[in-house]
């Protein structure tokens, strides 16, 4: 099964902008790219979703290049409460069918 | 509005036994997804049910099975448990609009399965 890869960990400071990139070379043609946030002992929580170009909501932006083989989650002005694991979720073709594949997650640590 | 609920919170079984995990979706949601989150392996897609039918399945052996009931709740069964099945099993639900598996998913807190 094709891998969906993200950096394992990232560190930043309060007030900074953080960009997390996910590589998904085998993304299915018509499928969305979704990002989730997970805190310890909780299920993941939806952050943002997009198909192409740029999407922005009240908490994040998502940048998707034309070839859709990667995506970048942008968190503006992070705070300590943004310390969490961030996952990208895409659909990839496997054995002739589309499968949901999560990246391995990026552990983001925000420092004071 | 109540979120996704899962039961039990913790489950301890021995190798070779069967485990049954349950999930109640958010009211009005027709799609249920199951994921396995094992230590060091991240989130692995197991199953997707929509409107009572299995729509998609991840790369897991047939001893992982499930079903969705008429009220849209769901059950995950794991037969012939192996030590490596120890993991957090997460259930998520979504509105299931147009049978699209990419709708926003709302996750439950998970069931921690330990196989001894």
């Amino acid at each position: 099964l094709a891998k969906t890869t993200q950096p394992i960990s990232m560190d930043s400071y309060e007030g900074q902008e953080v960009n997390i990139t996910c590589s998904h070379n085998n993304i299915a043609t018509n499928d969305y790219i979704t990002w989730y946030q997970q805190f310890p002992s909780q299920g993941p929580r939806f952050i943002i979703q997009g198909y192409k170009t740029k999407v922005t909501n009240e908490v994040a932006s998502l940048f998707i290049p034309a070839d859709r083989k990667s995506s970048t989650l942008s968190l503006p002005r992070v705070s300590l409460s943004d310390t969490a694991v961030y996952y990208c979720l895409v659909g990839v073709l496997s054995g002739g069918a589309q499968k949901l594949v999560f990246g391995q997650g990026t552990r983001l640590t925000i420092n004071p | 509005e109540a979120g996704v609920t899962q039961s039990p919170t913790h489950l301890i079984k021995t190798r070779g036994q069967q485990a049954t995990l349950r999930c109640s979706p958010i009211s009005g949601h027709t799609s249920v997804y199951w994921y396995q989150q094992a230590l060091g392996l991240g989130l692995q897609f197991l199953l997707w049910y929509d409107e009572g039918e299995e729509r998609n399945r991840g790369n897991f052996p047939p001893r992982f099975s499930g079903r969705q009931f008429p009220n849209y709740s769901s059950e995950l069964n794991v037969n012939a448990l192996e030590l490596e099945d120890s993991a957090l099993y997460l259930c998520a639900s979504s509105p299931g609009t147009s049978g699209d598996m990419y709708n926003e998913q709302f996750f439950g807190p998970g069931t921690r399965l330990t196989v001894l």
Side-chain angles (χ1 to χ4, degrees):
Chain A
L1 186 65
K3 289 199 170 189
T4 302
T5 57
Q6 308 174 226
I8 297 298
S9 64
M10 294 180 69
D11 281 81
S12 189
Y13 295 90
E14 284 189 291
Q16 298 295 303
E17 178 185 77
V18 172
N19 296 309
I20 306 173
T21 296
C22 177
S23 297
H24 29 77
N25 291 329
N26 282 26
I27 186 171
T29 305
N30 298 320
D31 296 335
Y32 283 83
I33 299 161
T34 312
W35 283 79
Y36 287 85
Q37 176 192 56
Q38 187 177 28
F39 296 111
S41 303
Q42 295 184 22
R45 186 178 70 172
F46 174 91
I47 302 173
I48 197 166
Q49 182 182 72
Y51 178 74
K52 60 181 178 181
T53 62
K54 177 184 174 182
V55 179
T56 298
N57 63 19
E58 63 276 10
V59 298
S61 293
L62 179 59
F63 299 91
I64 305 169
D67 65 7
R68 297 185 0 103
K69 293 185 182 300
S70 67
S71 59
T72 298
L73 173 71
S74 180
L75 304 173
R77 298 179 299 281
V78 293
S79 64
L80 296 176
S81 62
D82 292 317
T83 294
V85 181
Y86 293 81
Y87 293 94
C88 60
L89 172 65
V90 300
V92 298
L93 288 175
S94 175
Q98 292 177 1
K99 305 293 181 184
L100 290 171
V101 176
F102 273 98
Q104 67 266 54
T106 298
R107 185 173 299 278
L108 175 64
T109 302
I110 305 301
N111 302 292
Chain B
E1 179 184 279
V4 176
T5 59
Q6 294 185 244
S7 63
T9 304
H10 293 89
L11 187 58
I12 300 175
K13 294 285 187 178
T14 57
R15 198 168 44 184
Q17 286 188 313
Q18 179 199 43
T20 298
L21 289 65
R22 296 180 176 84
C23 172
S24 291
I26 291 172
S27 177
H29 286 188
T30 61
S31 274
V32 169
Y33 307 76
W34 287 96
Y35 296 91
Q36 181 194 66
Q37 188 169 32
L39 199 61
L41 293 179
L43 285 154
Q44 307 282 325
F45 168 65
L46 267 165
L47 290 158
W48 170 43
Y49 291 95
D50 184 51
E51 297 283 359
E53 295 192 14
E54 181 180 306
R55 303 288 188 179
N56 206 328
R57 182 183 180 86
N59 296 321
F60 280 83
R63 59 189 185 83
F64 287 84
S65 65
R67 54 181 171 167
Q68 187 178 33
F69 299 99
N71 66 354
Y72 303 116
S73 67
S74 178
E75 196 173 86
L76 173 69
N77 295 294
V78 188
N79 294 319
L81 284 166
E82 300 177 1
L83 297 178
E84 51 265 35
D85 296 334
S86 294
L88 180 68
Y89 288 84
L90 290 161
C91 169
S93 74
S94 76
T97 307
S98 303
D100 186 346
M101 70 174 176
Y102 298 102
N103 288 310
E104 175 182 349
Q105 297 178 36
F106 297 81
F107 283 79
T111 292
R112 174 75 59 187
L113 173 64
T114 302
V115 182
L116 303 175

